[in-house]
Amino acid sequence: MKATKRPIQAIATWVRRQPPKIKAFLAVVSGMAALVFLRFVVHDHDNLFVAAEAVHAIGISVLIYKLMKERTCAGLSLKSQELTAIFLAVRLYCSFVMEYDIHTLLDSATLVTTLWVIYMIRFKLRSSYMDDKDNFPIYYVVIPCAVLSFVIHPTTVHNIINRIAWAFCVYLEAVSVLPQLRVMQNTKIVEPFTAHYVFALGVARFLSCAHWVLQVLDTRGRLLTALGYGLWPSMVLLSEIVQTFILADFCYYYVKSLVGGQLVLRLPSGVV
């Protein structure tokens, strides 16, 4: 007798059989539903940004555990870690000269742990680093982000260099995970700790995006005006949305794999 599928597995099977357009529509609807839920549950939406930083730190902690316990960095992208360190360092500089707050402390802790991960990959665990799989040229994202930051940046009263630096870290953060996704695309198999880390990034990006979207809604658009005029306010919001959608596909397969009881995540062709 055929076993009855659990409701979650049945839903996952149904979603998997849908055409790409239906999947995209369902993803948008799910995201909007999550935003509505967070709006009513979380009263102080600034807490969402703090939660995003905390989840990112948890993701880094998972990496540290992997590197210390398994003594291997297979499946990790050194380039993604380096991009993360760059945008965190620039954001820390902006925090110190523009608005020192709790986010500065969280970013400091995340930067220190990210630098430690880079050190471990470059020197201690170099033999297990998949250099041939980590083949995404970082200048593909660094140069466009730098050029864009010169063209579109905040119009606040701060020094022009600081404003350009602020824009650069916003743009770079949005695409910093691309080298890690390329590694996973090349290997097709993602071991648990790496999968947990990337999923944590996805959750952190969604919470950060939710923070901005809800703040804009709560202030009836006044927040965008406070950020300045021109294209910059729209670019901030667009960057948050882009980095969320970049990881959305992976997060779907992560949850699907978790529900199915699979420890190792196998990605089908065309994902990430």
Side-chain angles (χ1 to χ4, degrees):
M1 185 176 180
K2 188 177 180 180
T4 304
K5 289 184 177 180
R6 289 183 296 176
I8 297 179
Q9 289 181 323
I11 293 174
T13 301
W14 179 81
V15 171
R16 188 172 63 251
R17 292 174 178 173
Q18 302 308 305
K21 289 184 179 179
I22 298 298
K23 289 181 179 178
F25 172 75
L26 292 173
V28 172
V29 171
S30 300
M32 293 177 65
L35 283 176
V36 172
F37 175 78
L38 289 174
R39 185 174 189 182
F40 287 102
V41 172
V42 182
H43 300 293
D44 185 355
H45 296 149
D46 282 335
N47 291 334
L48 291 175
F49 197 81
V50 176
E53 296 290 332
V55 172
H56 188 184
I58 291 172
I60 294 291
S61 300
V62 169
L63 281 192
I64 293 175
Y65 182 79
K66 166 189 168 70
L67 297 178
M68 294 183 65
K69 181 176 183 252
E70 300 190 348
R71 305 300 298 176
T72 176
C73 62
L76 294 180
S77 169
L78 174 62
K79 293 178 180 178
S80 263
Q81 297 303 314
E82 290 174 337
L83 290 176
T84 299
I86 291 173
F87 84 70
L88 283 172
V90 175
R91 194 160 72 187
L92 267 178
Y93 163 77
C94 293
S95 294
F96 278 115
V97 300
M98 298 171 73
E99 48 175 5
Y100 186 90
D101 54 21
I102 187 175
H103 307 312
T104 307
L105 299 177
L106 291 171
D107 279 344
S108 299
T110 306
L111 177 60
V112 170
T113 52
T114 300
L115 291 174
W116 184 86
V117 170
I118 292 173
Y119 169 76
M120 292 295 289
I121 295 176
R122 275 196 172 277
F123 302 105
K124 296 296 185 179
L125 305 174
R126 184 74 187 187
S127 60
S128 60
Y129 171 53
M130 304 169 74
D131 190 25
D132 58 324
K133 304 296 184 183
D134 194 11
N135 55 10
F136 188 96
I138 60 174
Y139 58 82
Y140 278 10
V141 294
V142 173
I143 294 177
C145 288
V147 172
L148 190 59
S149 64
F150 274 93
V151 178
I152 305 175
H153 51 261
T155 54
T156 57
V157 297
H158 302 95
N159 182 279
I160 182 64
I161 299 299
N162 298 337
R163 287 185 278 143
I164 291 174
W166 183 8
F168 176 70
C169 71
V170 168
Y171 300 144
L172 188 61
E173 181 183 13
V175 293
S176 61
V177 75
L178 288 179
Q180 180 62 59
L181 296 182
R182 172 64 68 85
V183 171
M184 296 189 299
Q185 186 181 55
N186 289 336
T187 59
K188 295 300 180 189
I189 297 178
V190 187
E191 54 81 37
F193 288 115
T194 303
H196 298 335
Y197 164 68
V198 177
F199 179 72
L201 286 184
V203 173
R205 300 289 164 84
F206 173 76
L207 291 174
S208 179
C209 182
H211 164 261
W212 282 104
V213 172
L214 294 178
Q215 289 283 69
V216 170
L217 292 175
D218 287 347
T219 60
R220 299 181 185 274
R222 291 192 300 273
L223 176 64
L224 295 179
T225 305
L227 291 174
Y229 55 85
L231 293 175
W232 168 246
S234 299
M235 288 301 293
V236 172
L237 197 57
L238 181 62
S239 297
E240 295 291 340
I241 294 173
V242 165
Q243 58 184 311
T244 301
F245 274 92
I246 284 176
L247 286 166
D249 205 18
F250 172 84
C251 289
Y252 163 74
Y253 284 99
Y254 173 88
V255 173
K256 176 177 171 291
S257 176
L258 202 64
V259 170
Q262 300 175 6
L263 294 179
V264 177
L265 177 58
R266 299 178 184 276
L267 298 175
S269 300
V271 178
V272 303

